[in-house]
Amino acid sequence: MSKLVGNLIPNTFFITKGSGESDLELHAGSYHMALFDAGISDFNIMTYSSVLPATAHLATMDEIDLPPFGSELKTIMAVSHGYQDEFVSAGVVYAWMYKDENFDEKAGGLVCEVSGRYRIEELESRLIRVINDLHQKTYSQYYLGELNFITEGITIEKRYGTALAGLCFMDFIQPEVSKK
């Protein structure tokens, strides 16, 4: 006998950021070192798009038990790669959307990622413009709450460099579905 299950619903998430450099490689070098700096190098990274369910909640890395080495870690992540003497940055902004102007009931969360060669002030300004634009064009029926930023930047001294910022999902709700 088998059971029918619904889509995974992200439940607990944490935020992290990191940067790294390497003289040898980009992916197996600076990217891995950025993951290490962020505390998530032990996992196989999978990326999601940019929404949060209303039931999701933020935890700190101190409050959670990280999954076993080699397991999947689902994320919403911004990553920027570059070369020696360049400055690269990555940033994520997220905000809860609410059903009324009293901010009583969450409708869900909106997350936007930006990466490139922006100074941190420019990166944050761009993140604000992007999330406001996305909200106005696709979710204007909801009220956008406080913006939360995760940003990272690095001036690269070695051959390769990477900056990353992200939300990482720790656990999920998997609803059962009745057959119709």
Side-chain angles (χ1 to χ4, degrees), residues 16-18 76-79 90-92 113 150-152 163-167:
T16 191
K17 62 183 182 174
I76 300 174
M77 187 179 292
V79 179
V92 172
E113 316 88 285
I150 308 115
T151 59
E152 180 74 1
L164 62 83
L167 280 78

Side-chain angles (χ1 to χ4, degrees), residues 13 15 48-53 75-78 91-97 108-114 127 130-131 134-135 139 144 147-148 150 165-169:
F13 68 95
I15 59 174
Y48 273 20
S49 60
S50 303
V51 293
L52 292 168
T75 69
I76 300 174
M77 187 179 292
V92 172
V93 61
Y94 70 95
W96 294 108
M97 296 182 296
L110 202 53
V111 186
C112 294
E113 316 88 285
V114 172
L127 285 163
V130 168
I131 198 168
L134 189 61
H135 172 251
Y139 297 104
L144 191 64
L147 303 183
N148 301 278
I150 308 115
L167 280 78
C168 303
F169 298 106

Side-chain angles (χ1 to χ4, degrees), residues 23-149:
D23 282 324
L24 300 175
E25 285 292 331
L26 188 76
H27 193 278
S30 66
Y31 176 63
H32 182 82
M33 297 312 297
L35 292 171
F36 180 80
D37 189 41
I40 56 174
S41 62
D42 293 351
F43 312 108
N44 291 300
I45 304 299
M46 299 182 67
T47 55
Y48 273 20
S49 60
S50 303
V51 293
L52 292 168
T55 55
H57 63 277
L58 175 66
T60 67
M61 288 183 80
D62 293 335
E63 296 172 323
I64 57 170
D65 292 323
L66 289 171
F69 187 93
S71 60
E72 293 178 351
L73 184 64
K74 295 173 173 79
T75 69
I76 300 174
M77 187 179 292
V79 179
S80 185
H81 302 292
Y83 301 96
Q84 187 172 20
D85 297 327
E86 291 180 333
F87 180 84
V88 295
S89 59
V92 172
V93 61
Y94 70 95
W96 294 108
M97 296 182 296
Y98 296 88
K99 293 184 178 181
D100 63 36
E101 66 274 1
N102 296 323
F103 297 87
D104 292 329
E105 186 180 353
K106 286 182 188 174
L110 202 53
V111 186
C112 294
E113 316 88 285
V114 172
S115 57
R117 286 162 177 73
Y118 304 103
R119 294 283 162 209
I120 297 300
E121 302 78 29
E122 296 171 295
L123 181 68
E124 287 183 359
S125 176
R126 189 163 185 82
L127 285 163
I128 292 167
R129 288 194 315 268
V130 168
I131 198 168
N132 284 331
D133 184 62
L134 189 61
H135 172 251
Q136 289 167 3
K137 290 181 178 171
T138 59
Y139 297 104
S140 62
Q141 72 270 31
Y142 301 122
Y143 295 84
L144 191 64
E146 177 185 354
L147 303 183
N148 301 278
F149 298 91

